[in-house]
Amino acid sequence: MARVHLETIRKIYPNGFEAVTPTSFDIPDGEFVVLVGPSGCGKSTLLRMIAGLEDITEGTLSIGDRVVNGVDPADRDIAMVFQNYALYPHMTVRRNIAYGLQNRKIDKATIEQKVQEAATMLNLTEYLDRKPAQLSGGQRQRVAMGRAIVRDPALFLFDEPLSNLDAKLRNQMRIEIKALQRRLGVTSIYVTHDQVEAMTMADRIIVMNGGKVEQIGTPHEVYHNPASTFVASFMGAPPMNLLEARFEDGMVRINGGTPVMPAPAARTGNVTLGIRPEDVRIDDAGDIPFHVDLVEELGAHRLLHGQLGDQTFSIHAMKDEPAPQGATRLSLIPDNICLFDSETGKRI
Amino acid sequence: MADTTHTSENTVARPRKSIKWGTVFDHTVLILGSLFMLVPILMVLQTVTTPDLETIKNGPGLTIGTELDDNFAKAMFQASGFSGENTGTSMLINSLILGVGFAVGKIVIGMMAAYAIVYFRLRFATFAFWLIFTTLLLPLEVRILPSYEIVQQLGMLNTYSGLIIPLVASATATFFFRQFFRSVPNELVEAARIDGAGPVKFFIDILVPLSQTMIAAMFIIMFVYGWNQYLWPTMITTDEDMYTLVRGIKQITQDLEGTNVPEYGRANMLALIAILPPVLIVIFFQSWFVKGLTESDK
């Protein structure tokens, strides 16, 4: 169990590509942090640098009170769960879990006891003598977890561990991993490109894009107060609606003139207005015309996709709210509107 | 094989129609092919059971004789040559040592070379690999005189090491293992690193067991290759107790030119014994062989 501290960590590959721009953050003891971003955003590289599988080009990484830049992965007191499980196919589940301990020259009785503990915790007891090929995806993932648990590491690293599972199993394993992490209280860093996983599992989310950290915050903050248009459009399904708007006469106007909220002091010119689909109401008395092209029925709620002026727009409607087709009118909840600089995409 | 095709053909063509000429043609080809392979062996078998005198009088016949055990005893235990040390048994042992030593040596060296090339950040690793690969263009026959000279200078004539070591480096094995190692997922290496397995441990604990099927496949190929070596053993071994089977058979037929009756039965018996181990190895390792060259269980 340990605090993790990154100080201007940077990664430049030999071919000159800067995969991670100087990044600093701090993970307190026991926190579950999710690194999320589209593929190629540098999140896996960052994780692999923390694991010691990639060299750190610049910066300092400490786990606990120890700077571990040059330390071998095996000596960093970490455990890692890989996307494709990375189980040793020729070893039984028992040996897979025990292998890391054997290499540390721990005596056999202790190993056996730890393996049993982990197996009980993960419901793997009856599979201990099977080979990975005889297990289902979820079970394999649990073996990979077991391999991590028995080492009592200071830090868990997860590299997209659920992306090879089907949707149902993924939801289940998500809860299991989260519960396990809570129970063990081990600091964890979890990499995923799935924003649902990020939202549901994280104590704090780090959103990355193009090798840069876009925002660090609790799931609530990241969702409701995105720091940039990138975060706004990446988090949430469907993403936040982003509309081109203008500051005019002290108001924020969309759709060529309709005022939606008062502008912050002394602003003029273009702005990007962001609003979550659930912060929009179908409202016959509303002053924004909207054309619904498509309704997605999702049981508990519906998604209405269509055109607001010449821009695409989505609305989230609960099952007992009206779901009109074709032309209708809307109103926005002004308190929940986020404004972004149209040039930089940063929050105003 | 022919059997299964036959039954499935039957069930499909149950309502009797005209003869399928395509099928007839296929089977003719198959039957001719198998005869082509089998008849020589059947002839050998027949000769082995027949007294030599009869063989020389009538040529190969259809009757099975009674000399099988006699010929077997002669082939295995009676020495040919001058020293009386190259019995069939000793030649069989020599051949086995050559075949196994050859196969094991090639596998060990090939695997280690491939391991170095694939898993370590060596400068010029690719270049080194292609350099190894080009040695395929220089088979033993091309470099046999210098090779002989080196072995002779090292005093390794008439030794097993002289038979095996000069031929043990193998571009083929290195190539196959390289391809195989490159298909091993990288996460496995990383997981092992995090689990604290160093290069040697990773090789022995993980890579070697993973390569089982590949090793089996290589073993077959290399064993048969070693077993069938003729030219090199002929050059390196002059002591009769170092003769291998493949070379010893020739010795027998050669010995008995002149007025004596050639020992057809004994020579053919030896030939039979000589083809047996490779056949057994292929039968035994067959399923692994196919697996090793086609699929991978990772």
Side-chain angles (χ1 to χ4, degrees):
Chain A
M1 264 137 275
R3 195 190 103 165
V4 179
H5 182 68
L6 283 80
E7 184 73 49
T8 57
I9 295 280
R10 188 178 190 200
K11 177 71 188 182
I12 301 174
Y13 280 109
N15 62 12
F17 176 67
E18 188 178 29
V20 178
T21 57
T23 299
S24 305
F25 55 82
D26 206 53
I27 304 171
D29 188 12
E31 193 174 65
F32 196 110
V33 166
V34 174
L35 283 171
V36 67
S39 44
C41 72
K43 57 189 191 301
S44 283
T45 310
L46 196 56
L47 187 82
R48 291 165 56 79
M49 282 196 285
I50 296 171
L53 299 170
E54 292 285 350
D55 292 332
I56 297 170
T57 315
E58 275 171 33
T60 335
L61 167 69
S62 34
I63 299 174
D65 303 321
R66 196 163 58 123
V67 174
V68 292
N69 278 44
V71 178
D72 220 45
D75 302 324
R76 288 193 181 192
D77 203 10
I78 53 161
M80 186 156 170
V81 178
F82 293 87
Q83 177 176 355
N84 63 3
Y85 326 121
L87 301 178
Y88 311 120
H90 58 289
M91 297 185 187
T92 59
V93 170
R94 186 190 304 278
R95 275 207 71 199
N96 260 292
I97 296 178
Y99 188 64
L101 299 178
Q102 284 169 0
N103 288 340
R104 288 180 170 187
K105 309 263 184 304
I106 292 171
D107 70 283
K108 277 197 176 145
T110 319
I111 293 179
E112 181 56 31
Q113 186 205 335
K114 286 194 170 200
V115 170
Q116 286 298 344
E117 270 173 29
T120 317
M121 205 183 294
L122 295 161
N123 289 326
L124 285 170
T125 320
E126 53 190 306
Y127 305 110
L128 278 178
D129 293 315
R130 295 214 194 156
K131 296 260 175 83
Q134 296 163 298
L135 301 178
S136 69
Q139 288 164 340
R140 282 184 220 183
Q141 191 58 66
R142 278 201 218 113
V143 177
M145 299 277 305
R147 193 161 66 174
I149 292 171
V150 286
R151 307 187 47 185
D152 295 329
L155 176 63
F156 275 143
L157 302 173
F158 298 90
D159 190 3
E160 310 209 9
L162 303 182
S163 14
N164 281 7
L165 301 178
D166 62 57
K168 197 176 164 205
L169 206 53
R170 203 180 305 164
N171 292 345
Q172 185 193 332
M173 287 301 292
R174 206 164 71 195
I175 296 165
E176 275 184 40
I177 292 180
K178 178 72 186 167
L180 198 68
Q181 193 268 342
R182 278 275 160 76
R183 179 145 48 130
L184 299 170
V186 178
T187 317
S188 303
I189 305 177
Y190 186 107
V191 161
T192 180
H193 59 261
D194 180 348
Q195 51 92 20
V196 178
E197 267 171 41
M199 291 291 294
T200 50
M201 298 177 82
D203 293 327
R204 268 196 313 158
I205 295 179
I206 298 175
V207 186
M208 289 188 72
N209 184 32
K212 279 197 280 289
V213 170
E214 291 271 341
Q215 186 172 7
I216 302 180
T218 63
H220 190 273
E221 280 165 10
V222 169
Y223 188 81
H224 294 285
N225 281 311
S228 65
T229 46
F230 173 78
V231 178
S233 59
F234 189 76
M235 302 302 290
M240 187 178 261
N241 292 301
L242 296 172
L243 297 172
E244 288 166 26
R246 286 186 66 76
F247 291 121
E248 258 176 44
D249 312 328
M251 294 297 280
V252 177
R253 293 170 189 276
I254 57 167
N255 205 16
T258 321
V260 289
M261 63 183 283
R267 282 275 194 168
T268 52
N270 290 330
V271 69
T272 304
L273 179 150
I275 187 153
R276 290 277 171 202
E278 59 271 25
D279 295 329
V280 183
R281 296 275 167 276
I282 301 279
D283 179 0
D284 291 336
D287 43 11
I288 304 163
F290 179 60
H291 191 274
V292 180
D293 296 330
L294 180 74
V295 178
E296 275 187 291
E297 184 65 56
L298 290 164
H301 62 265
R302 301 188 183 95
L303 296 173
L304 281 55
H305 302 283
Q307 297 282 325
L308 195 161
D310 53 358
Q311 303 177 60
T312 57
F313 199 84
S314 302
I315 304 173
H316 179 285
M318 296 314 292
K319 64 173 188 293
D320 43 4
E321 287 178 297
Q325 290 275 9
T328 180
R329 303 188 82 75
L330 323 163
S331 60
L332 311 181
I333 300 174
D335 289 350
N336 296 343
I337 291 175
C338 305
L339 295 177
F340 303 94
D341 190 306
S342 356
E343 311 268 291
T344 61
K346 295 279 176 246
R347 187 72 182 275
I348 295 174
Chain B
M1 247 161 37
D3 206 42
T4 48
T5 350
H6 200 72
T7 45
S8 65
E9 216 74 81
N10 261 349
T11 44
V12 173
R14 176 80 13 115
R16 275 209 180 177
K17 283 190 212 154
S18 59
I19 305 163
K20 285 192 177 159
W21 289 107
T23 317
V24 172
F25 177 76
D26 290 349
H27 281 262
T28 316
V29 171
L30 287 174
I31 290 164
L32 284 179
S34 43
L35 284 180
F36 185 73
M37 310 283 281
L38 280 175
V39 168
I41 293 179
L42 291 174
M43 276 172 67
V44 168
L45 273 174
Q46 194 269 335
T47 315
V48 158
T49 58
T50 320
D52 296 334
L53 213 57
E54 233 163 85
T55 310
I56 203 166
K57 266 198 286 183
N58 309 329
L62 291 172
T63 48
I64 307 253
T66 51
E67 299 281 300
L68 182 66
D69 46 346
D70 275 6
N71 277 325
F72 182 77
K74 260 201 280 179
M76 289 305 279
F77 308 116
Q78 186 183 322
S80 58
F82 310 105
S83 64
E85 268 157 1
N86 62 335
T87 59
T89 324
S90 78
M91 289 194 288
L92 187 69
I93 290 168
N94 287 340
S95 277
L96 277 175
I97 290 172
L98 179 60
V100 172
F102 212 71
V104 171
K106 274 179 184 266
I107 287 169
V108 169
I109 288 180
M111 272 188 96
M112 295 202 296
Y115 183 52
I117 289 168
V118 175
Y119 286 101
F120 293 86
R121 254 174 265 158
L122 298 174
R123 257 168 191 248
F124 311 123
T126 323
F127 177 72
F129 170 72
W130 289 111
L131 205 63
I132 294 171
F133 202 69
T134 46
T135 60
L136 284 178
L137 300 175
L138 293 170
L140 176 69
E141 287 75 6
V142 180
R143 55 185 166 88
I144 195 153
L145 287 176
S147 298
Y148 179 83
E149 198 185 349
I150 291 169
V151 172
Q152 185 263 328
Q153 280 168 0
L154 290 173
M156 297 202 297
L157 294 180
N158 287 313
T159 59
Y160 291 124
S161 40
L163 270 178
I164 295 167
I165 291 171
L167 301 181
V168 94
S170 166
T172 324
T174 310
F175 175 74
F176 274 104
F177 281 115
R178 170 183 179 260
Q179 298 308 98
F180 179 79
F181 290 165
R182 282 158 67 109
S183 72
V184 171
N186 215 11
E187 277 89 348
L188 228 48
V189 186
E190 292 174 346
R193 275 181 74 189
I194 290 176
D195 270 342
V200 177
K201 254 191 155 323
F202 174 71
F203 186 65
I204 293 170
D205 283 355
I206 291 161
L207 218 45
V208 171
L210 273 184
S211 315
Q212 262 179 9
T213 49
M214 198 63 195
I215 291 173
M218 280 297 115
F219 187 85
I220 300 181
I221 296 176
M222 295 308 171
F223 177 84
V224 175
Y225 184 46
W227 182 271
N228 288 339
Q229 281 296 316
Y230 178 73
L231 184 60
W232 186 249
T234 311
M235 295 204 53
I236 294 300
T237 58
T238 46
D239 287 354
E240 290 183 333
D241 62 340
M242 291 296 295
Y243 279 14
T244 60
L245 262 182
V246 177
R247 126 152 241 222
I249 296 167
K250 182 191 159 266
Q251 178 83 13
I252 291 173
T253 44
Q254 196 177 39
D255 260 8
L256 302 164
E257 278 163 9
T259 49
N260 293 334
V261 176
E263 291 186 272
Y264 287 121
R266 184 175 166 200
N268 281 318
M269 191 74 215
L270 270 182
L272 212 56
I273 291 165
I275 56 173
L276 216 54
V279 168
L280 287 179
I281 286 212
V282 170
I283 289 172
F284 183 70
F285 282 117
Q286 192 191 33
S287 59
W288 282 18
F289 180 74
V290 177
K291 254 200 223 163
L293 292 185
T294 54
E295 70 184 51
S296 53
D297 58 351
K298 285 169 300 260

